[in-house]
Amino acid sequence: MNLSEIIKILEATVIVQPDTEDFNIQRACSADLMSDVLYYHAPDSLLITGLTQLSVIRTAEIVGIRAIAFVFNKTPDAQIIEFAQKKKIPLLSTRFCMYTAAGKLYEAGLTGC
Amino acid sequence: MSLNIKETIDGSFQLVGADFTHAGEASTQLKQKLAELGVPDGIVRRVAIATFEAEMNAIIYAAAGWLHYCITPQSITIQVVDMGPGIENIELAMQEGYSTAPDWAREMGWGAGMGLPNMKRNSDIFKIDSVVGEGTTVEMIINFP
Ligand SMILES: Nc1ncnc2c1ncn2[C@@H]1O[C@H](COP(=O)(O)OP(=O)(O)OP(=O)(O)O)[C@@H](O)[C@H]1O
Ligand SMILES: [Mg+2]
């Protein structure tokens, strides 16, 4: 699924833009605990999370998560946004809760990790 | 890309307890090194996950530690040695969901009690040694194809 479609479905604000229009996401997972994310081998996936700390960007880079969507309109601090930019990881913010955000994407055909 | 490892490559990273700004840098650099050496993606990911979990434990639970690695044409060995409180009951610590992570680490997203199980799951050989009051050593070997 293209990231632009995910942005539309989640009615998301884009905090960090993808560096290409052809930004494809294969799967998605949702968690607030980093080791739950590290349980998955989730290359080319989207992470849906409520955690906006630096650990999230680090964890994404380690497992190969391509983009992150923060729920409840959360936005990380400026230095974390800068770090994501450097790592070329697009960041989105959606007003939906984790359950609804995941449900909407699943319904649209984006499967789990 | 084929594996481009002719001789043994080793090195170390110093780990500083509670240093969340740099936490994960050692694992990220090791991940990049393996990718440059032509190690397949899936194996790089296993090493990265296992190493990152071990690095985070040293940073969360210990005052200081070291991450040593040794890469040969056949495998990588990662050793994370910390000068921390040690683990009283290793069998209990290995259980999925068991965690004594402090609140400040939980706020950063740690404390699922999945770190040690994730290390074991991603390693071909996993060893843990701990002496209460002295520290903990985790050794992981991951084979290349
Ligand atoms: N290096 C260490 N020094 C001291 N205690 C440790 C160390 N590593 C693990 N432990 C103990 O073992 C428990 C389980 O560790 P594990 O990494 O599996 O989970 P965790 O760190 O609590 O949470 P997470 O899922 O975020 O890794 C820890 O909560 C801690 O009590
Ligand atoms: Mg841990």
Side-chain angles (χ1 to χ4, degrees):
Chain A
M1 185 181 286
N2 195 284
L3 191 68
S4 60
E5 199 180 334
I6 291 174
I7 294 168
K8 223 179 282 166
I9 292 166
L10 295 181
E11 301 170 29
T13 312
V14 182
I15 306 166
V16 173
Q17 293 280 354
D19 58 355
T20 161
E21 279 189 15
D22 184 34
F23 202 101
N24 217 50
I25 297 288
Q26 305 283 356
R27 288 168 288 267
C29 56
S30 56
D32 282 343
L33 290 172
M34 293 305 103
S35 289
D36 285 347
V37 179
L38 290 159
Y39 177 85
Y40 302 107
H41 282 233
D44 301 324
S45 62
L46 171 80
L47 171 65
I48 305 162
T49 185
L51 195 86
T52 54
Q53 307 280 358
L54 185 65
S55 317
V56 180
I57 318 290
R58 290 274 192 207
T59 302
E61 194 184 15
I62 291 287
V63 291
I65 282 169
R66 278 201 92 191
I68 303 169
F70 299 110
V71 296
F72 288 134
N73 278 327
K74 289 183 190 182
T75 303
D77 291 345
Q79 85 246 37
I80 294 167
I81 294 174
E82 213 173 284
F83 189 66
Q85 260 155 353
K86 209 171 82 189
K87 300 292 182 184
K88 295 188 174 19
I89 298 173
L91 303 182
L92 316 177
S93 182
T94 173
R95 65 185 170 87
F96 297 119
C97 68
M98 208 194 275
Y99 180 81
T100 306
K104 279 177 180 287
L105 292 174
Y106 194 90
E107 199 178 24
L110 193 65
T111 52
C113 288
Chain B
M1 203 162 131
S2 64
L3 214 54
N4 183 26
I5 305 164
K6 302 275 181 296
E7 52 195 23
T8 301
I9 305 165
D10 51 21
S12 301
F13 296 96
Q14 197 170 1
L15 307 174
V16 180
D19 177 10
F20 264 96
T21 321
H22 298 102
E25 236 159 53
S27 305
T28 305
Q29 280 181 38
L30 189 60
K31 182 186 176 191
Q32 274 156 7
K33 189 175 219 70
L34 289 176
E36 281 164 18
L37 291 169
V39 177
D41 281 356
I43 291 178
V44 173
R45 201 169 307 114
R46 281 171 56 202
V47 174
I49 292 172
T51 309
F52 186 42
E53 291 280 18
E55 179 183 0
M56 287 315 306
N57 277 1
I59 288 167
I60 293 169
Y61 302 106
W66 286 95
L67 190 160
H68 306 291
Y69 63 88
C70 179
I71 304 166
T72 71
Q74 288 79 39
S75 66
I76 177 167
T77 303
I78 303 123
Q79 210 182 39
V80 178
V81 185
D82 73 47
M83 287 68 100
I87 302 171
E88 218 172 271
N89 186 338
I90 291 179
E91 204 185 318
L92 184 63
M94 289 298 304
Q95 281 180 15
E96 304 197 338
Y98 177 82
S99 176
T100 64
D103 283 347
W104 58 267
R106 289 180 188 274
E107 281 165 22
M108 305 275 178
W110 303 99
M114 290 298 285
L116 291 167
N118 280 347
M119 290 176 223
K120 189 171 180 194
R121 216 162 42 87
N122 284 292
S123 305
D124 288 306
I125 297 174
F126 174 85
K127 288 182 210 155
I128 179 164
D129 239 320
S130 193
V131 179
V132 173
E134 284 183 22
T136 302
T137 299
V138 169
E139 188 178 288
M140 300 175 286
I141 301 175
I142 293 168
N143 297 324
F144 300 146

